[in-house]
Amino acid sequence: MAVLNVNGVSKSFEDGEVIKNITLELHEGELVSLLGVSGGGKTTLFNIIAGLSAPDTGNVILDGEDITGKPGNVSYMLQKDLLLPYRTIVDNVALPLLIRGMSKKEAREKASGYFEEFGLLGTEKKYPAQLSGGMKQRAALLRTYLFSEKVALLDEPFSALDMLTKGTVHEWYLDVMEKIKLSTLFITHDIDEAILLSDRIYLLTGKPGTITKEIVIKEPKPRRKDFNLTEEFLEYKREIISHLEEG
């Protein structure tokens, strides 16, 4: 059963229709990627799923409840980590709990309880400037998780990382997802990243943006270390490139 359903969502702005009749679903524990060219409407769709923008048509259902136009039901992490430089890491991470009305002491205690699982032990009293790019992303992802512990929307969260760091963070994120039973909808422009991380990939093409293909990645997770060197991987990549070029 799907934890998240997007049904027939369309959205227009003054300069025309941006997305048209988008329908997708996310099951518990899945990582599903949205892949397409820049300007195809992926961020517009995320804003609608997050309740930050209302669709012209269609709805968004979370665990059987209509959350269309209602913010605060799913987590949403943008490309930049957006950590506040003047707050310690534990206070950055605890922000969603403070917003919900939890006391500072309780928020810090709850947030600190996840630091080991997220690979952040020892960073609690440090400031963002003292952390590497990969560690900042881990802190931002933990903050995102504490906002809503069911579904996370990630908009190119790893794009600023170098290739070696990105590979390490990919492996870590999939491991954490499994441990905490998190479901993730993921925007990326990186075809390799989408194939390596995803259970399924939706290809968004055209203007207005429309989902024109769904690709199921059959390779079990965690993926073998050399999966990106296999013929299966290259075949997925060829299929995606061919479809995007046609779109």
Side-chain angles (χ1 to χ4, degrees):
M1 182 178 174
V3 64
L4 179 75
N5 293 89
V6 178
N7 304 308
V9 163
S10 300
K11 181 70 176 180
S12 297
F13 295 104
E14 290 181 2
D15 51 354
E17 198 169 26
V18 179
I19 52 174
K20 183 176 183 179
N21 197 29
I22 300 289
T23 295
L24 59 83
E25 62 183 26
L26 176 68
H27 298 109
E28 185 173 343
E30 271 192 318
L31 190 150
V32 173
S33 289
L34 283 171
L35 186 61
V37 298
S38 296
K42 297 184 292 298
T43 299
T44 297
L45 177 60
F46 263 29
N47 286 339
I48 290 170
I49 296 171
L52 303 176
S53 176
D56 298 330
T57 62
N59 60 22
V60 180
I61 307 295
L62 179 68
D63 276 341
E65 179 184 349
D66 191 333
I67 61 165
T68 311
K70 300 175 184 176
N73 290 285
V74 298
S75 299
Y76 190 2
M77 179 175 165
L78 301 172
Q79 184 174 345
K80 296 181 179 179
D81 59 66
L82 299 178
L83 297 175
L84 300 173
Y86 52 86
R87 282 182 178 264
T88 61
I89 298 303
V90 71
D91 285 340
N92 263 288
V93 167
L95 270 175
L97 306 176
L98 294 172
I99 290 169
R100 286 189 212 157
M102 198 176 284
S103 73
K104 184 177 283 188
K105 182 182 178 184
E106 287 176 314
R108 282 175 173 170
E109 286 177 355
K110 179 167 183 178
S112 295
Y114 289 95
F115 268 57
E116 182 174 7
E117 202 151 46
F118 276 72
L120 289 165
L121 269 184
T123 69
E124 290 88 339
K125 295 182 180 180
K126 292 185 177 181
Y127 290 87
Q130 297 174 281
L131 267 57
S132 67
M135 293 297 277
K136 286 179 186 177
Q137 290 304 91
R138 291 185 186 214
L141 284 162
L142 175 52
R143 182 182 59 190
T144 300
Y145 172 68
L146 290 175
F147 184 82
S148 171
E149 300 171 6
K150 193 77 175 178
V151 171
L153 309 178
L154 304 186
D155 190 346
E156 294 197 86
F158 310 131
S159 61
L161 302 177
D162 64 77
M163 188 172 66
L164 292 176
T165 303
K166 186 184 284 192
T168 301
V169 174
H170 283 170
E171 189 175 335
W172 163 80
Y173 185 71
L174 292 176
D175 183 56
V176 167
M177 263 189 68
E178 185 175 355
K179 285 179 180 174
I180 62 179
K181 307 301 180 189
L182 183 64
S183 308
T184 303
L185 199 56
F186 188 87
I187 286 177
T188 181
H189 291 101
D190 186 332
I191 295 172
D192 288 21
E193 181 173 62
I195 298 170
L196 288 170
L197 290 178
S198 305
D199 296 287
R200 293 181 292 117
I201 301 170
Y202 288 112
L203 300 185
L204 197 66
T205 62
K207 293 199 175 186
T210 307
I211 291 175
T212 50
K213 194 173 185 67
E214 177 189 351
I215 295 174
V216 178
I217 307 297
K218 295 178 181 177
E219 177 74 12
K221 292 195 297 186
R223 306 257 148 91
R224 43 196 162 135
K225 296 284 187 184
D226 65 344
F227 178 54
N228 62 332
L229 302 176
T230 64
E231 183 57 35
E232 295 97 319
F233 180 92
L234 293 175
E235 188 54 42
Y236 285 124
K237 192 168 182 177
R238 289 188 198 104
E239 182 181 3
I240 291 168
I241 290 172
S242 174
H243 187 79
L244 293 177
E245 285 176 345
E246 289 173 5

